Amino acid sequence: MSKYDPNLDQCFSALGDPTRRLILQRLARGEASVSELAAPHDMALPSFMEHLKKLEVAGLVTSKKQGRTRTCELAPDAFAPAKKWLSEQSEIWEGRLDRFDDYVKNLMQERQK
Amino acid sequence: MSKYDPNLDQCFSALGDPTRRLILQRLARGEASVSELAAPHDMALPSFMEHLKKLEVAGLVTSKKQGRTRTCELAPDAFAPAKKWLSEQSEIWEGRLDRFDDYVKNLMQERQK
DNA sequence: GTGTTACTTAGGTATATGTCTAAGTATGAC
DNA sequence: GTCATACTTAGACATATACCTAAGTAACAC
């Protein structure tokens, strides 16, 4: 059984905001600077930056600064932990897991720590 | 392309809390009454009920009252919208890479001529 | 019909979140 | 050097969230 993972808190919470999901949808199509990302959003830049910061803290986005421009991109396998948690629950619900699968899952989770 | 879906706000926000994820993990194994669900959580019942309410509003849990007992269960396809959004973004992200791979492949083929 | 159980409602508090404006810093263009 | 650009920091504020206690209601159990 998946134990409590504090990173999932930040990850799912980050996904719970429409502005942040739109940022991710944009970044799925390729990297972009802060101002490019902010342009479609009718919001002061510091407010917008807070959203970017949450996405980074959640491990969904990475960024690097070159000169005065910060470029953001989707983190590698950004959505993997969230998808994994959801799939595990679905599988348990659908009754697809037998005891052996459960055992393997736990083992792999332990090793990832 | 996924449009802005207010239900995803509630769904992902609901998933962003560890108490609520634990409730869902419990319900993935079968329905339960409010007090059964609350038992492992060191929390006043009204506080706990708020979590259940958010899960219901998010469409992740359904409940029915029989007598004085309320029984909760995972909603059918509870996680489908969340999984769908995540998969769509992953596919767009991976599609972008594929396209880049294609481009590189073509380039190398051209050079071999 | 009295007490116990299983919630439910009401109301309060502390912290977190999402927004803003104003002012600061660092870089690039001229 | 001067000015515009692209963030960044600081501080304020309103609402939302996560918790609490206390009191209410609606079934059962006797």
Side-chain angles (χ1 to χ4, degrees), chain A residues 67-87:
Chain A
R68 57 189 166 165
T69 302
R70 179 173 295 279
T71 303
C72 304
E73 64 179 328
L74 219 55
D77 274 320
F79 303 127
K83 286 168 82 173
K84 179 168 177 256
W85 188 90
L86 291 169
S87 297

Side-chain angles (χ1 to χ4, degrees), chain B residues 43-83:
Chain B
M43 188 183 292
L45 196 57
S47 315
F48 185 79
M49 294 290 292
E50 280 298 302
H51 289 297
L52 282 181
K53 191 178 171 188
K54 291 206 173 172
L55 289 169
E56 284 210 59
V57 168
L60 294 168
V61 164
T62 59
S63 75
K64 52 186 190 294
K65 197 160 183 179
Q66 310 142 105
R68 58 188 166 166
T69 302
R70 179 172 295 280
T71 303
C72 303
E73 65 178 328
L74 219 54
D77 274 320
F79 303 126
K83 286 168 82 174

Side-chain angles (χ1 to χ4, degrees), chain B residues 34-113:
Chain B
V34 169
S35 14
E36 282 167 359
L37 289 172
H41 300 274
D42 185 17
M43 188 183 292
L45 196 57
S47 315
F48 185 79
M49 294 290 292
E50 280 298 302
H51 289 297
L52 282 181
K53 191 178 171 188
K54 291 206 173 172
L55 289 169
E56 284 210 59
V57 168
L60 294 168
V61 164
T62 59
S63 75
K64 52 186 190 294
K65 197 160 183 179
Q66 310 142 105
R68 58 188 166 166
T69 302
R70 179 172 295 280
T71 303
C72 303
E73 65 178 328
L74 219 54
D77 274 320
F79 303 126
K83 286 168 82 174
K84 179 166 177 260
W85 189 90
L86 291 169
S87 298
E88 278 173 11
Q89 303 319 312
S90 299
E91 279 165 25
I92 291 164
W93 175 249
E94 285 150 19
R96 190 189 70 93
L97 291 175
D98 288 348
R99 249 170 270 137
F100 180 71
D101 283 345
D102 283 351
Y103 168 73
V104 172
K105 264 181 197 159
N106 285 334
L107 204 69
M108 291 174 76
Q109 280 173 2
E110 287 304 317
R111 285 183 181 170
Q112 284 184 333
K113 279 175 189 171

Side-chain angles (χ1 to χ4, degrees), chain A residues 68-107:
Chain A
R68 57 189 166 165
T69 302
R70 179 173 295 279
T71 303
C72 304
E73 64 179 328
L74 219 55
D77 274 320
F79 303 127
K83 286 168 82 173
K84 179 168 177 256
W85 188 90
L86 291 169
S87 297
E88 278 174 12
Q89 304 319 312
S90 300
E91 281 167 22
I92 291 164
W93 176 246
E94 286 152 18
R96 284 182 191 158
L97 290 179
D98 60 23
R99 231 173 278 146
F100 179 71
D101 283 344
D102 244 331
Y103 168 73
V104 171
K105 279 229 161 94
N106 284 332
L107 203 69

Side-chain angles (χ1 to χ4, degrees), chain A residues 34-35 46 49 65 68 70:
Chain A
V34 170
S35 13
M49 294 289 293
K65 197 161 182 177
R68 57 189 166 165
R70 179 173 295 279

Side-chain angles (χ1 to χ4, degrees), chain A residues 44-84:
Chain A
L45 195 57
S47 314
F48 184 79
M49 294 289 293
E50 281 298 302
H51 288 297
L52 282 181
K53 190 179 170 187
K54 292 206 170 167
L55 290 169
E56 283 211 58
V57 169
L60 295 169
V61 165
T62 60
S63 74
K64 54 186 188 298
K65 197 161 182 177
Q66 310 143 105
R68 57 189 166 165
T69 302
R70 179 173 295 279
T71 303
C72 304
E73 64 179 328
L74 219 55
D77 274 320
F79 303 127
K83 286 168 82 173
K84 179 168 177 256

